[in-house]
Amino acid sequence: MNPFLKKYGLVIAGGTIQGLGMGLFLFPHSIPSGGAGGIAVLLNYWFNMSMGVALWIVNFSLLLFGVKILGKRFALWTIVSITVTSLSVDFFETSFMIQNRNLVYDLVFGSLFLGTGIGLLMRQGVSNGGVGVVALIISTKRKILPGKPLFFLNMSIFVITAMVVDWKIIVLALISQWLSTRVVDLVCQMSFQNAYTLGWRKKP
């Protein structure tokens, strides 16, 4: 298979699966999928904005800060991923209704799909957008690992979201983050032959 087409197909699949987890399982309970998801929940709460549109706006706005540091090719692939994710969120939110929802089931399944989608994207050297872009910029400028700024950025947004919407959200968000990141690690450890990446850490 053509390497470009294979990468494109996996990016589409990753964005769609991520959107499935968010739109069908997490967002109906206002559970943020991350920092960007938390901001999208707030925009939806304050302005009754579609979650898919809100998520795209947040991700695209944050990505603009990272273009100079992360490179144009990285930015273009990330725009593809966040666009597919946002369209998927809107599709699954509006096209499917789950009767007699169970919070625990939705939390687990949503986190599993979220982690699978992000893992597929990361295997292709593509970001799923969000505050991870900002965390990477901070880590580059301060020469520190991105984990700490990413954690504090997400936590700050989770706290604000919890204060505005519901305090239980911060607990659910942390559980979701833990589950989804475990799945990301599992997917990234899987062996995909001839995976095509662009070496996104360097500018083109």
Side-chain angles (χ1 to χ4, degrees), residues 4 7 14 18 31 35 53 64 80 98 102 104 106-107 120 128-129 135-136 144 148 152 156 165 173 178 183 197:
F4 176 83
K7 179 184 179 75
Q18 183 182 214
I31 301 173
V53 173
L64 291 178
V80 173
I98 298 178
N102 183 288
V104 175
D106 283 358
L107 177 63
L120 287 174
N128 66 319
L136 186 58
I144 59 175
K148 185 175 288 186
F152 284 112
S156 299
V165 183
W178 184 85
V183 176
T197 60

Side-chain angles (χ1 to χ4, degrees), residues 1-202:
M1 181 184 292
N2 182 288
F4 176 83
L5 292 178
K6 183 177 181 180
K7 179 184 179 75
Y8 186 77
L10 288 171
V11 170
I12 296 296
T16 302
I17 294 170
Q18 183 182 214
L20 167 64
M22 289 190 264
L24 191 59
F25 297 106
L26 298 178
F27 286 168
H29 299 283
S30 295
I31 301 173
S33 56
I39 298 174
V41 168
L42 289 174
L43 291 175
N44 172 264
Y45 183 83
W46 284 328
F47 305 110
N48 199 29
M49 185 182 295
S50 161
M51 286 296 298
V53 173
L55 188 64
W56 192 93
I57 291 174
V58 173
N59 277 322
F60 185 76
S61 300
L62 292 171
L63 181 60
L64 291 178
F65 289 106
V67 172
K68 290 185 179 180
I69 295 174
L70 304 178
K72 294 179 181 178
R73 287 182 297 183
F74 170 86
L76 288 173
W77 279 111
T78 301
I79 288 173
V80 173
S81 77
I82 64 176
T83 300
V84 172
T85 298
S86 297
L87 291 173
S88 299
V89 168
D90 265 350
F91 173 75
F92 288 112
E93 268 192 328
T94 57
S95 301
F96 295 88
M97 294 293 295
I98 298 178
Q99 300 295 329
N100 302 316
R101 282 188 174 275
N102 183 288
L103 175 59
V104 175
Y105 290 161
D106 283 358
L107 177 63
V108 172
F109 282 114
S111 301
L112 292 177
F113 282 117
L114 174 65
T116 301
I118 294 174
L120 287 174
L121 292 172
M122 286 188 170
R123 279 201 61 87
Q124 299 305 307
V126 177
S127 170
N128 66 319
V131 298
V133 176
V134 179
L136 186 58
I137 294 173
I138 294 173
S139 69
T140 301
K141 290 189 175 182
R142 298 194 176 185
K143 297 181 179 180
I144 59 175
L145 293 173
K148 185 175 288 186
L150 180 61
F151 175 79
F152 284 112
L153 284 168
N154 279 335
M155 281 300 299
S156 299
I157 295 170
F158 289 162
V159 169
I160 293 172
T161 306
M163 290 173 61
V164 173
V165 183
D166 193 332
W167 274 104
K168 73 177 181 182
I169 286 175
I170 192 170
V171 177
L172 297 174
L174 287 173
I175 295 173
S176 177
Q177 287 288 295
W178 184 85
L179 286 172
S180 61
T181 52
R182 300 288 77 76
V183 176
V184 168
D185 287 342
L186 289 173
V187 173
C188 288
Q189 288 169 3
M190 292 173 65
S191 176
F192 291 104
Q193 293 184 352
N194 300 321
Y196 176 74
T197 60
L198 287 173
W200 55 267
R201 287 183 177 84
K202 295 181 180 179

